[in-house]
Amino acid sequence: MNTKVAIVGASGYAGEELLRILLKHPNVTITCITSRQNAGRQIGEFFPRFVEADLAFSTPDADDIAAKADIAFLALPHGLAAEYAEPLVNKGIKVIDISADFRLRDTNVYKQYYKNDHPAPALLHKAVYGLPELYRDQLKSAQLVACAGCYVTSVLLPMTAMLKAGIIETNGIEAISLSGITGAGRKVDLPYIYPECNESMRPYTVTGHRHLPEMEQELAVAAGVDEVKINFIPHLIPVNRGIHSTILAYAKPGVDDQAALDCLNQAYKNEPFIRILKKGQLADTKHVTMTNFCEIGCAYDKRTNRIIVSSVIDNLTKGASGQAVQIMNIICGYDETTGL
Amino acid sequence: MNTKVAIVGASGYAGEELLRILLKHPNVTITCITSRQNAGRQIGEFFPRFVEADLAFSTPDADDIAAKADIAFLALPHGLAAEYAEPLVNKGIKVIDISADFRLRDTNVYKQYYKNDHPAPALLHKAVYGLPELYRDQLKSAQLVACAGCYVTSVLLPMTAMLKAGIIETNGIEAISLSGITGAGRKVDLPYIYPECNESMRPYTVTGHRHLPEMEQELAVAAGVDEVKINFIPHLIPVNRGIHSTILAYAKPGVDDQAALDCLNQAYKNEPFIRILKKGQLADTKHVTMTNFCEIGCAYDKRTNRIIVSSVIDNLTKGASGQAVQIMNIICGYDETTGL
Amino acid sequence: MNTKVAIVGASGYAGEELLRILLKHPNVTITCITSRQNAGRQIGEFFPRFVEADLAFSTPDADDIAAKADIAFLALPHGLAAEYAEPLVNKGIKVIDISADFRLRDTNVYKQYYKNDHPAPALLHKAVYGLPELYRDQLKSAQLVACAGCYVTSVLLPMTAMLKAGIIETNGIEAISLSGITGAGRKVDLPYIYPECNESMRPYTVTGHRHLPEMEQELAVAAGVDEVKINFIPHLIPVNRGIHSTILAYAKPGVDDQAALDCLNQAYKNEPFIRILKKGQLADTKHVTMTNFCEIGCAYDKRTNRIIVSSVIDNLTKGASGQAVQIMNIICGYDETTGL
Amino acid sequence: MNTKVAIVGASGYAGEELLRILLKHPNVTITCITSRQNAGRQIGEFFPRFVEADLAFSTPDADDIAAKADIAFLALPHGLAAEYAEPLVNKGIKVIDISADFRLRDTNVYKQYYKNDHPAPALLHKAVYGLPELYRDQLKSAQLVACAGCYVTSVLLPMTAMLKAGIIETNGIEAISLSGITGAGRKVDLPYIYPECNESMRPYTVTGHRHLPEMEQELAVAAGVDEVKINFIPHLIPVNRGIHSTILAYAKPGVDDQAALDCLNQAYKNEPFIRILKKGQLADTKHVTMTNFCEIGCAYDKRTNRIIVSSVIDNLTKGASGQAVQIMNIICGYDETTGL
């Protein structure tokens, strides 16, 4: 079995991570990598790590992509992703979009947080939310996948399971997250040069981050309520890769850390990429970097009745490209862990 | 004017930071530095950075210290600090203790969190809590000072001002803190070697950290209530220096970020080491490392009615040794910023 | 096809890297992992990253290892490795030793640099030097392999090819190397804790490092001379992984950077893990970390007649465990890149 | 005594370091800071660390600078520095130039390495080379100072002393240097963003770096010969600050590490910022960061007759702004260590 894939927008960090994974995937041939800025260059000129691969960047073109690939990964900025998703879906190519364009179901919310009208509202009903642990069945036959955001993945995996089980309250959830610098993308801007990040710890967009409505949307679905309101507070930390989310939630009566762990173990006992820690253990990003795992630990503060969740992923793997490949495996009927 | 000082326990990071500051302090002569492990060695053998200083480590001995110094800084582990504080205070030496031994007023709480009976309960009534912005007047004539903890300083400076002003609720406060690795001390243990910390982000002691009761004690004093219960969740981050605390509190009606900033500006308008940011700005540890400043920013999330505080210090300076020197300046009648 | 392997000394960084590679190797079953200190513990207690593997540390015992494994990897300190190599080889187990015990052919040199008599001189004649690019044929049937040292690998790969081709002088070679902190092993010692390494750059053992005689031994073999004397100057750098070696050699008449690159391309045109850069390019450790590649660039300074070589590997992969697995693949007749 | 100073080009890292030092200098008032890009902005908007200072960036203008300042520090790119140096010197302002414009005495060499005609050859005869340990007397009355380059300072301080003493050969000197990322300036470019530098070690410009002719010029002066040819090989390392230079030189007969150390101790016994290590010790950048010190250690390899020098500075302090202030102190007659 072999799947031909295109990576549209292959010159950023999510694109690089797709290349790292897919170049070793036994069932995949990369037939097309695009980059407007680097069109014509051999991959090795831009990514010396992949110089042995016989690939060159081309200018992204929907016809060309459709002619070459069965599945297209979009590793593009939001807004731009939809421009390619639309013709590709229309041509029958399966699209796995790592951008944010098709994650929010409500176009008003999209406009509020992304400051533009939704670029392709007609496609929204086709989009399946790309978090396999929540939407595996729908993903199997999806033609358009909106991969979950990186921060969002680290928060939803533990919290949706607890909300579904009804062991925590829906109000009073707070997610405080830490991200490595690749989370900002391959962005050439003063705040991201080495001396400005190294030996620095700083929060940003502590109200109104774009991942906030995405978290709230899926938490509400899991809780079976119309609306969940949370705080989401991201920080930038001097590591290359990794997200740590500390999430606080009020325990329902009788619930403690062991109950929370039991709930997670029950929910995820068959999941290949979810690792539930033992009582007393907390997550560490270094346990999951360069893997597709989400590692989750729980504590309980009786004094304040707070369940404290510690959840880690690699922002580029389970938070982006690894998740996208996991979804591709589901769509293609490969073992879900192939190449991961 | 000249003050003779001893640094008891000078071989750890707090001791090293005291040396860095005091060797350049115009009104100080360091007459004694002690280290049981390094007794007899020249300072430059252990700290090449200070090789030009003509100092050698001696075995700590209260009589010897009392003979040589007017003021003793104790940079010792808790428990051990009290052993030296007692004879030194009795001999009339002023003691500035960087350890935790005299911070908690309730010996039962001490026992609960430190797992031992308080080592010197008879001295507790003499101890003044060492946070100049809160206790400057008492510090002027203190004979024994219990310097505030590092995390504690970063949390109390913004939160006590808001509690005193009555603009936030006393319940529902959550402090999520990030610390550089020097916060663990000069500890030779597997979790602290470079490859175990680098490219890692991890929480620890998310319930029951020893700085928690200290925070709650002083928050209650500021709020004028018997008890404040908070969550305090520390994380270890791969930087050398710095603490960032993100603190959430429920706003009283009508209070927003501007009101919070106004409150802080009013409270600290004459403080030399407090920097209140402008609306829309958040703190960054790299703005304060190697300084005695606490930098504070505020945001407000109307959706959840949360004031979100971003507060940074250098854990070794304002969080330990810089604060101790600030207090020494107060005690000695020097300008409070001398040498800092 | 399936090979049963033991990892003797699995709790250090080389052991951890063997686990990372071998747990995904399609032709390998790990049947035994040993650690004196951690005997009885599940692997996940010590390495959370591998918790899904069903393995527990046992006390190392030659009989037990021989009963369980076809091939034993020794990731032990020098001296100790020989103690296990001897009985295992006698029992007919193939031994791939990552330590230094069997690298030097001259026991006098061993004694000079390791300060002890050679622990198993009778075995030395059986040992094949474990650098596949130089000794592939002998490795195929080796019963005892002495894997090349990490620094040594980065230096020998470019320099032996040029010496064999006769394009550089044998005198005046200087190797200045930089290593990440995992190169020091999982060593719990003050100089290796995070704050002592971070924001630090320092050389060490600039004369008489133990990798020096190993380099000189193999450079002399390549040059076909009795003796080559070089300088080798290692430095410790705050990264987790990677070695960069800058090597200077005097060019023979008419030789320049292009000639050096041509020589390397010719020598290594069929090698799966050697990457020769283009003229004008220099190596960067980040291109090879977590891979088994050695990346090599060359420059030429006409003014001083120096060929300047820039050579990088991951010290734990091509510098230790990846190389060991490459050798295992050769011994077992698997494709040399399997699992790498 | 008070000196009014201007910092021309205050928005880069050298400018920031000048601000850090001069804002605390007891004899200095900063009367003018310029930045074309940030003209009109308060210093605190750009450097939150200095928000308490009452300073705003202005557009650089020689008349304005001359009206406000006695001494102007130029922290500008080469080429641009000369444009301001010329009118300022003509107006009688003393100029301390941190750029490279006036370091090379030979305009042909300048053109060869900087690819442009020298921008102000008529001023060259007035320029004094800004390395106090070599040119203190001339600096006292200098009107234009060309501060030594950062790498250059780390190499010249040990090597000129040994060449003057005649204990090393003039041929066969090799300088292999490591620099933190601030050495690249506050440059917003892909190779300098955090994820491209972190966990990376790489050489660059290994032939023909612009600091090479500057080193050779001053080494020849010290050796009293027409020409010295060396290799200079710089590397970029993921730390913020610091330069480590490992320098190899052939020992004259009878010379060893102790003789080299004796020579350095003799040469620098009265120097306030030179620290000569003991036999067996090597330098570490972390001993000198945020200080104006140069720390130097020596070893000797009898086998190859190489003196191996390990020399460290902070590239922004002794390598740039600290040295500039040291020179200002000399010019103004202040104690040379004031403010440093």
Side-chain angles (χ1 to χ4, degrees):
Chain A
M1 278 185 302
N2 194 274
T3 302
K4 288 177 289 176
V5 309
I7 302 173
V8 186
S11 64
Y13 288 130
E16 185 180 14
E17 179 74 350
L18 280 170
L19 284 163
R20 182 180 76 84
I21 297 168
L22 292 172
L23 284 170
K24 295 206 166 186
H25 194 293
N27 304 114
V28 163
T29 305
I30 303 173
T31 56
C32 174
I33 60 171
T34 80
S35 167
R36 284 173 301 176
Q37 287 184 307
N38 298 291
R41 293 173 69 184
Q42 285 296 120
I43 190 174
E45 292 175 48
F46 198 69
F47 292 127
R49 183 179 272 270
F50 305 133
V51 70
E52 286 78 18
D54 182 25
L55 285 169
F57 292 106
S58 61
T59 304
D61 173 83
D63 286 334
D64 183 53
I65 296 163
K68 290 179 178 161
D70 308 315
I71 293 187
F73 293 92
L74 306 186
L76 297 166
H78 66 87
L80 192 61
E83 284 183 31
Y84 289 93
E86 201 152 25
L88 288 170
V89 167
N90 289 340
K91 288 170 202 290
I93 305 304
K94 302 213 169 194
V95 171
I96 300 175
D97 178 14
I98 297 179
S99 90
D101 275 349
F102 300 99
R103 294 174 188 163
L104 297 173
R105 294 191 189 90
D106 184 332
T107 54
N108 291 322
V109 176
Y110 185 93
K111 185 165 186 178
Q112 181 188 345
Y113 282 86
Y114 290 87
K115 312 296 176 201
N116 282 303
D117 287 325
H118 192 281
L123 269 187
L124 265 181
H125 73 285
K126 292 202 176 173
V128 177
Y129 191 69
L131 196 52
E133 291 77 6
L134 300 187
Y135 294 98
R136 183 173 285 111
D137 282 347
Q138 295 93 311
L139 288 168
K140 285 176 184 165
S141 56
Q143 214 202 330
L144 171 60
V145 178
C147 289
C150 53
Y151 285 122
V152 186
T153 295
S154 72
V155 171
L156 291 184
L157 286 172
M159 304 322 285
T160 56
M162 293 197 225
L163 285 170
K164 283 181 187 173
I167 65 169
I168 56 170
E169 305 287 348
T170 55
N171 65 320
I173 296 174
E174 330 255 18
I176 294 88
S177 297
L178 316 176
S179 173
I181 315 291
T182 56
R186 202 168 200 158
K187 203 179 288 176
V188 180
D189 207 355
L190 183 59
Y192 306 111
I193 67 171
Y194 184 89
E196 300 298 314
C197 293
N198 188 37
E199 295 295 299
S200 160
M201 306 187 281
R202 58 188 200 253
Y204 66 101
T205 330
V206 298
T207 60
H209 189 281
R210 286 163 171 172
H211 282 189
L212 174 66
E214 189 183 334
M215 290 179 192
E216 292 184 339
Q217 168 184 290
E218 297 300 319
L219 292 173
V221 169
V225 299
D226 283 350
E227 193 177 80
V228 171
K229 288 279 168 237
I230 71 168
N231 278 103
F232 166 58
I233 303 182
H235 299 70
L236 210 56
I237 300 294
V239 299
N240 275 3
R241 286 163 163 252
I243 283 177
H244 185 284
S245 288
T246 295
I247 312 143
L248 296 102
Y250 287 104
K252 289 273 186 73
V255 172
D256 62 6
D257 48 351
Q258 190 57 60
L261 291 168
D262 290 347
C263 164
L264 293 170
N265 275 310
Q266 179 61 25
Y268 294 132
K269 64 184 172 211
N270 296 318
E271 285 297 338
F273 293 119
I274 309 285
R275 177 185 299 156
I276 309 301
L277 293 171
K278 294 207 165 61
K279 187 168 161 162
Q281 294 182 316
L282 298 165
D284 185 331
T285 54
K286 77 166 175 278
H287 300 160
V288 300
T289 40
M290 305 286 279
T291 82
N292 203 47
F293 273 89
C294 177
E295 177 180 282
I296 306 169
C298 291
Y300 175 61
D301 190 330
K302 207 168 93 175
R303 303 158 65 259
T304 57
N305 192 36
R306 282 294 215 177
I307 296 287
I308 300 159
V309 176
S310 160
S311 170
V312 292
I313 59 169
D314 184 319
N315 57 303
L316 292 178
T317 319
K318 185 63 178 169
S321 304
Q323 185 138 275
V325 173
Q326 184 183 359
I327 291 166
M328 182 205 75
N329 286 337
I330 291 170
I331 290 174
C332 296
Y334 302 138
D335 182 288
E336 202 165 321
T337 64
T338 311
L340 289 168
Chain B
M1 280 184 303
N2 194 275
T3 302
K4 288 177 288 176
V5 309
I7 303 173
V8 186
S11 65
Y13 288 131
E16 185 180 15
E17 179 74 351
L18 280 170
L19 285 162
R20 184 180 74 85
I21 297 169
L22 292 172
L23 284 169
K24 295 205 167 189
H25 194 293
N27 304 114
V28 163
T29 305
I30 303 174
T31 56
C32 174
I33 62 172
T34 81
S35 167
R36 283 174 299 176
Q37 287 184 307
N38 298 291
R41 292 174 69 184
Q42 283 297 118
I43 190 174
E45 291 175 48
F46 197 69
F47 292 127
R49 184 177 272 269
F50 304 133
V51 69
E52 287 78 18
D54 182 24
L55 285 169
F57 293 105
S58 60
T59 303
D61 174 83
D63 286 334
D64 184 54
I65 296 163
K68 290 179 178 161
D70 308 315
I71 293 187
F73 292 92
L74 305 186
L76 296 166
H78 66 87
L80 191 60
E83 285 183 31
Y84 290 92
E86 201 152 24
L88 289 170
V89 168
N90 290 340
K91 287 171 201 292
I93 305 303
K94 301 213 169 194
V95 172
I96 300 176
D97 179 14
I98 297 179
S99 90
D101 275 349
F102 300 99
R103 295 175 188 163
L104 296 173
R105 295 194 187 86
D106 184 332
T107 54
N108 291 324
V109 176
Y110 184 94
K111 184 164 187 180
Q112 181 188 346
Y113 281 87
Y114 290 88
K115 311 297 176 200
N116 281 303
D117 286 324
H118 192 280
L123 269 187
L124 266 181
H125 73 283
K126 291 203 176 174
V128 177
Y129 191 70
L131 196 52
E133 291 77 5
L134 299 187
Y135 294 98
R136 183 172 285 110
D137 283 346
Q138 296 93 313
L139 287 168
K140 285 176 185 164
S141 56
Q143 215 202 329
L144 171 61
V145 178
C147 290
C150 54
Y151 285 122
V152 186
T153 296
S154 73
V155 170
L156 291 185
L157 287 171
M159 305 320 286
T160 56
M162 293 197 226
L163 285 170
K164 283 182 187 172
I167 65 169
I168 56 170
E169 305 287 348
T170 55
N171 65 320
I173 296 175
E174 331 253 19
I176 294 88
S177 297
L178 315 175
S179 174
I181 315 291
T182 55
R186 203 168 200 158
K187 203 179 290 175
V188 180
D189 207 355
L190 183 60
Y192 305 111
I193 67 171
Y194 184 89
E196 300 297 314
C197 293
N198 188 37
E199 295 294 299
S200 160
M201 307 186 281
R202 58 188 200 251
Y204 66 100
T205 331
V206 298
T207 61
H209 189 282
R210 286 164 171 172
H211 283 189
L212 173 65
E214 189 183 334
M215 290 179 193
E216 291 184 340
Q217 167 184 290
E218 297 300 320
L219 292 172
V221 170
V225 298
D226 282 350
E227 194 176 79
V228 171
K229 289 281 168 235
I230 72 168
N231 279 102
F232 166 58
I233 303 181
H235 299 70
L236 209 56
I237 299 292
V239 299
N240 276 2
R241 287 163 163 253
I243 282 177
H244 185 284
S245 289
T246 296
I247 311 142
L248 295 102
Y250 287 106
K252 290 273 185 73
V255 172
D256 62 5
D257 49 350
Q258 190 57 59
L261 291 168
D262 290 347
C263 164
L264 292 169
N265 275 309
Q266 179 61 26
Y268 293 133
K269 63 184 171 211
N270 296 319
E271 285 296 339
F273 293 119
I274 309 285
R275 178 186 298 155
I276 310 301
L277 294 171
K278 293 208 166 60
K279 187 169 162 161
Q281 295 182 315
L282 298 164
D284 185 331
T285 54
K286 76 167 176 278
H287 300 158
V288 299
T289 40
M290 306 286 278
T291 82
N292 203 46
F293 273 88
C294 177
E295 177 179 283
I296 306 169
C298 292
Y300 175 63
D301 190 330
K302 205 169 95 176
R303 303 158 65 259
T304 57
N305 193 36
R306 283 294 216 178
I307 295 287
I308 300 159
V309 176
S310 161
S311 170
V312 292
I313 58 168
D314 183 319
N315 57 303
L316 293 178
T317 319
K318 185 63 179 168
S321 303
Q323 185 138 275
V325 173
Q326 183 183 359
I327 291 165
M328 182 205 75
N329 286 338
I330 292 170
I331 290 174
C332 296
Y334 303 139
D335 183 287
E336 201 165 320
T337 65
T338 311
L340 289 167
Chain C
M1 279 183 302
N2 194 276
T3 301
K4 289 178 286 176
V5 309
I7 303 172
V8 186
S11 65
Y13 287 130
E16 185 180 15
E17 180 73 351
L18 280 170
L19 285 163
R20 182 180 77 83
I21 297 168
L22 293 172
L23 284 170
K24 295 205 166 188
H25 194 293
N27 303 115
V28 163
T29 305
I30 302 174
T31 56
C32 174
I33 61 172
T34 80
S35 167
R36 284 173 300 175
Q37 287 184 307
N38 298 292
R41 293 173 70 184
Q42 284 298 119
I43 190 175
E45 291 174 48
F46 197 69
F47 292 127
R49 183 178 272 269
F50 304 133
V51 69
E52 287 77 18
D54 182 24
L55 285 169
F57 292 106
S58 60
T59 304
D61 173 84
D63 286 334
D64 184 53
I65 296 163
K68 290 178 177 161
D70 308 315
I71 292 187
F73 292 92
L74 306 187
L76 296 166
H78 66 86
L80 192 60
E83 286 183 30
Y84 289 94
E86 200 152 25
L88 289 170
V89 167
N90 290 339
K91 288 169 201 293
I93 305 304
K94 302 213 169 194
V95 171
I96 300 175
D97 179 14
I98 298 180
S99 90
D101 275 349
F102 300 99
R103 295 175 188 163
L104 296 173
R105 295 193 188 89
D106 183 334
T107 54
N108 290 323
V109 176
Y110 185 93
K111 185 164 187 180
Q112 181 188 346
Y113 281 87
Y114 290 88
K115 312 296 176 201
N116 282 302
D117 286 325
H118 192 281
L123 269 187
L124 266 181
H125 73 284
K126 291 201 175 174
V128 177
Y129 191 69
L131 195 52
E133 290 77 6
L134 299 188
Y135 293 98
R136 183 172 285 111
D137 282 346
Q138 295 94 313
L139 287 168
K140 284 176 184 164
S141 56
Q143 214 201 330
L144 171 60
V145 177
C147 289
C150 53
Y151 285 121
V152 186
T153 296
S154 72
V155 171
L156 290 185
L157 286 171
M159 304 321 285
T160 55
M162 293 197 226
L163 285 171
K164 284 181 188 175
I167 65 170
I168 55 171
E169 306 286 350
T170 56
N171 65 320
I173 296 174
E174 330 253 18
I176 294 89
S177 296
L178 315 176
S179 173
I181 315 290
T182 55
R186 204 169 198 158
K187 204 179 290 175
V188 180
D189 207 356
L190 183 60
Y192 305 111
I193 66 171
Y194 185 88
E196 300 297 315
C197 293
N198 188 37
E199 296 294 298
S200 160
M201 307 187 280
R202 57 187 200 252
Y204 66 100
T205 331
V206 298
T207 59
H209 189 281
R210 287 164 170 171
H211 282 190
L212 173 66
E214 190 183 335
M215 291 180 192
E216 291 184 338
Q217 167 183 289
E218 297 300 320
L219 292 173
V221 170
V225 298
D226 282 349
E227 194 178 77
V228 171
K229 289 282 169 232
I230 72 169
N231 278 102
F232 167 58
I233 303 181
H235 300 70
L236 209 56
I237 299 293
V239 300
N240 277 1
R241 287 164 163 254
I243 282 177
H244 185 285
S245 288
T246 295
I247 311 142
L248 296 102
Y250 287 105
K252 289 272 185 74
V255 172
D256 62 5
D257 48 351
Q258 190 57 59
L261 291 168
D262 289 347
C263 164
L264 293 170
N265 275 310
Q266 179 61 25
Y268 294 132
K269 64 185 172 210
N270 296 319
E271 285 297 337
F273 293 119
I274 308 286
R275 178 185 298 154
I276 310 300
L277 294 171
K278 293 206 167 61
K279 188 170 162 159
Q281 294 182 316
L282 298 165
D284 184 331
T285 55
K286 76 167 177 278
H287 300 159
V288 299
T289 40
M290 306 286 278
T291 82
N292 202 47
F293 272 89
C294 178
E295 177 179 285
I296 306 168
C298 292
Y300 175 61
D301 191 329
K302 208 168 91 176
R303 304 160 63 259
T304 57
N305 192 36
R306 282 295 215 176
I307 295 288
I308 300 159
V309 176
S310 160
S311 170
V312 293
I313 58 169
D314 184 320
N315 56 305
L316 293 177
T317 318
K318 184 63 177 168
S321 303
Q323 186 138 277
V325 173
Q326 183 183 357
I327 291 166
M328 182 205 74
N329 286 337
I330 291 170
I331 290 174
C332 297
Y334 303 139
D335 183 287
E336 201 165 320
T337 65
T338 311
L340 289 168
Chain D
M1 280 185 302
N2 194 275
T3 302
K4 288 178 288 175
V5 309
I7 303 172
V8 185
S11 65
Y13 287 131
E16 186 180 14
E17 179 73 351
L18 280 170
L19 285 162
R20 183 180 77 83
I21 297 168
L22 292 172
L23 283 169
K24 295 206 167 188
H25 194 293
N27 303 113
V28 162
T29 304
I30 303 173
T31 56
C32 175
I33 61 172
T34 80
S35 165
R36 283 173 301 176
Q37 287 185 307
N38 298 291
R41 293 173 69 184
Q42 285 297 120
I43 190 175
E45 291 175 49
F46 197 69
F47 292 127
R49 183 177 273 269
F50 304 133
V51 69
E52 287 77 17
D54 183 25
L55 286 168
F57 292 106
S58 61
T59 303
D61 175 83
D63 286 333
D64 184 53
I65 296 163
K68 291 178 178 162
D70 308 316
I71 292 187
F73 292 93
L74 306 187
L76 296 167
H78 66 87
L80 192 60
E83 286 184 29
Y84 289 92
E86 199 152 26
L88 288 170
V89 166
N90 290 339
K91 287 171 202 292
I93 304 304
K94 303 213 168 194
V95 171
I96 300 175
D97 179 15
I98 297 179
S99 90
D101 275 348
F102 300 100
R103 295 175 187 164
L104 297 173
R105 295 195 187 88
D106 183 332
T107 55
N108 291 324
V109 176
Y110 184 94
K111 186 165 186 180
Q112 180 188 346
Y113 281 87
Y114 290 88
K115 311 295 176 201
N116 282 303
D117 286 325
H118 192 281
L123 269 187
L124 266 180
H125 72 284
K126 292 202 177 177
V128 176
Y129 191 69
L131 195 52
E133 291 77 6
L134 299 188
Y135 294 97
R136 184 172 285 111
D137 282 347
Q138 296 92 314
L139 288 168
K140 285 176 184 164
S141 56
Q143 213 200 331
L144 172 60
V145 177
C147 290
C150 53
Y151 285 121
V152 187
T153 295
S154 72
V155 171
L156 291 185
L157 287 171
M159 303 321 286
T160 56
M162 293 197 226
L163 285 170
K164 284 182 188 174
I167 65 169
I168 55 170
E169 305 287 349
T170 56
N171 65 319
I173 297 175
E174 330 255 17
I176 294 89
S177 297
L178 316 176
S179 173
I181 315 291
T182 55
R186 203 169 200 159
K187 202 179 290 175
V188 180
D189 207 355
L190 183 60
Y192 306 110
I193 68 171
Y194 184 88
E196 301 297 314
C197 293
N198 188 37
E199 296 294 298
S200 160
M201 307 187 280
R202 57 188 199 252
Y204 65 101
T205 331
V206 298
T207 59
H209 188 282
R210 287 165 171 170
H211 282 190
L212 173 66
E214 190 183 334
M215 291 180 193
E216 291 184 339
Q217 166 184 291
E218 297 300 320
L219 292 172
V221 170
V225 298
D226 282 350
E227 193 177 78
V228 171
K229 288 282 168 233
I230 71 168
N231 279 102
F232 166 58
I233 304 182
H235 300 70
L236 209 57
I237 300 293
V239 300
N240 276 2
R241 286 163 164 253
I243 283 177
H244 185 285
S245 289
T246 295
I247 312 142
L248 295 102
Y250 287 104
K252 290 271 186 74
V255 172
D256 62 5
D257 48 351
Q258 190 57 58
L261 291 168
D262 289 348
C263 163
L264 292 169
N265 274 311
Q266 179 60 26
Y268 293 132
K269 65 185 172 212
N270 296 319
E271 285 297 338
F273 293 119
I274 308 285
R275 178 186 298 156
I276 309 301
L277 294 171
K278 294 207 166 60
K279 187 170 162 162
Q281 295 182 316
L282 299 165
D284 184 332
T285 55
K286 75 167 178 280
H287 299 159
V288 300
T289 40
M290 306 286 278
T291 81
N292 203 47
F293 273 89
C294 178
E295 178 179 283
I296 306 168
C298 291
Y300 175 62
D301 190 330
K302 207 168 91 175
R303 304 159 64 260
T304 57
N305 192 35
R306 282 296 216 176
I307 295 287
I308 300 159
V309 176
S310 160
S311 170
V312 291
I313 58 168
D314 184 319
N315 58 303
L316 293 178
T317 318
K318 185 63 177 169
S321 303
Q323 185 137 277
V325 172
Q326 182 183 358
I327 291 166
M328 183 205 74
N329 286 337
I330 291 170
I331 290 174
C332 296
Y334 303 139
D335 182 287
E336 201 165 320
T337 65
T338 311
L340 289 168

